[in-house]
Amino acid sequence: MSPLRQRWIQWLASPQARDPQTGLWLSWSNGDHPGFAYEEATAWVMLAAAPLRSLPQAAALSAAVDQAAVVLAKRIRRHGGLRCGGRRYAFDTAVALAAWQAWGGPVDVEQQLLATLLDFCRSRTALDGGVPGGDETSDTRWSESWGAHQLWLAGPLQRAGQAQAALDLVEELLPRVLRDDGLLRIHGASDAVYAHAALYGAAGLLAVGERGLAAGVAAEAMAALGGDGLVPTWLDPQTGPGRADATAQAAAITAESGAQVADELRARAVAALGACTTVDGGVRYEADSQDRNCCATAFCLRMG
């Protein structure tokens, strides 16, 4: 295991990365800009930690995940899925389902997560009270749309034995978000390409065997690396600061899909993520940010 991966593990296992009241992982850690206990981040850490749980170097992280899973299970039983700002989100719930599939835990929790996720798929809404897919407007926020990032749901649906639901999701959603150039627009009412959302979508396409489409999105993201070695916020137009989370996503999908990307580009991306890693092991969201982001750190750990 590389020293960098060990630092990521150690930071995620540390109290700095977790909410002291609940034991859940924080959105980010920064004394001058405090984060919040974030259910989705906790699910991502569970997912990243699952392949490592037999390793002695990850013992402290595994123990922290076990503790957080108990808290998260209670919340899921109460609310049916994962919430942010008091409302359940389809995507967050899908990440929790994937985390439960990978980590293990009470069967009733996994069943509840799947039932809620299927309800969201039937309504084609991203969150409780959200706009149905196809009814978005140009100013609908990406995370509140039935847009490109929802393709990611196909993976956990397939693993839950819901192959038809996964295929139905892709068949319904892909024609609205796939652009002629192979990139994924945020949703049907905007042609802009938000890198983070497009790469979530690419991971979902990879899960259902659309390797070529997934590889194309990842290759475009890697080709867009900025001077800091990070994937920019937007792929079209190519604007905004480089983001560590999208960079880790692109590097992982590039490797998994077999995308034709120069070794030099992947090396630049990995080096940039190393530069974003603080001495204690947290990954900064952006090169000049002081927020050590839990999701970004978990994504880095999942690169393999």
Side-chain angles (χ1 to χ4, degrees):
M1 180 182 295
S2 71
L4 191 56
R5 285 177 63 78
Q6 291 184 41
R7 285 163 59 196
W8 294 333
I9 291 169
Q10 288 166 2
W11 185 75
L12 286 172
S14 73
Q16 298 174 62
R18 288 177 285 135
D19 174 52
Q21 276 72 48
T22 63
L24 299 182
W25 271 267
L26 296 166
S27 51
W28 61 81
S29 176
N30 181 350
D32 296 328
H33 178 218
F36 57 91
Y38 194 11
E39 294 179 357
E40 185 196 343
T42 301
W44 279 116
V45 174
M46 290 177 67
L47 199 50
L52 309 171
R53 64 191 309 177
S54 63
L55 300 178
Q57 304 97 312
L61 178 58
S62 296
V65 168
D66 279 335
Q67 293 170 3
V70 173
V71 175
L72 206 56
K74 290 179 181 178
R75 293 186 173 203
I76 293 165
R77 289 187 177 108
R78 186 180 309 126
H79 302 294
L82 261 58
R83 301 187 307 158
C84 185
R87 292 198 285 178
R88 296 179 308 174
Y89 279 73
F91 185 86
D92 302 35
T93 297
V95 178
L97 177 58
W100 240 258
Q101 291 167 340
W103 190 262
V107 174
D108 68 298
V109 173
E110 186 172 336
Q111 291 173 337
Q112 179 61 71
L113 289 166
L114 176 59
T116 299
L117 188 58
L118 290 171
D119 284 344
F120 274 122
C121 288
R122 283 188 283 268
S123 66
R124 294 184 295 118
T125 53
L127 71 164
D128 290 331
V131 177
D135 291 347
E136 297 94 352
T137 62
S138 59
D139 60 352
T140 300
R141 181 175 168 79
W142 73 273
S143 61
E144 298 185 357
S145 74
W146 195 249
H149 68 298
Q150 305 293 0
L151 290 166
W152 193 89
L153 277 55
L157 284 171
Q158 271 205 334
R159 290 188 293 273
Q162 297 289 331
Q164 189 59 54
L167 290 175
D168 289 347
L169 169 74
V170 174
E171 288 177 2
E172 184 275 326
L173 184 53
L174 188 59
R176 288 194 287 110
V177 299
L178 181 63
R179 304 191 338 169
D180 291 342
D181 61 3
L183 290 174
L184 301 173
R185 58 176 63 89
I186 53 174
H187 51 64
S190 173
D191 207 42
V193 181
Y194 181 52
H196 189 43
L199 289 160
Y200 277 141
L205 291 172
L206 190 57
V208 295
E210 293 286 356
R211 186 172 297 272
L213 288 175
V217 174
E220 287 291 333
M222 294 292 280
L225 293 181
D228 56 7
L230 299 174
V231 173
T233 305
W234 298 92
L235 294 181
D236 187 16
Q238 285 189 18
T239 59
R243 294 279 171 79
D245 53 2
T247 305
Q249 288 174 279
I253 297 168
T254 295
E256 191 175 349
S257 67
Q260 297 300 306
V261 171
D263 291 342
E264 180 268 338
L265 284 179
R266 180 173 170 83
R268 279 187 62 209
V270 173
L273 293 171
C276 283
T277 303
T278 58
V279 173
D280 56 8
V283 176
R284 297 192 304 271
Y285 187 46
E286 299 170 0
D288 61 354
S289 172
Q290 298 306 308
D291 294 344
R292 294 167 295 176
N293 189 280
C294 289
C295 286
T297 308
F299 290 174
C300 286
L301 198 54
R302 296 188 75 220
M303 285 194 304

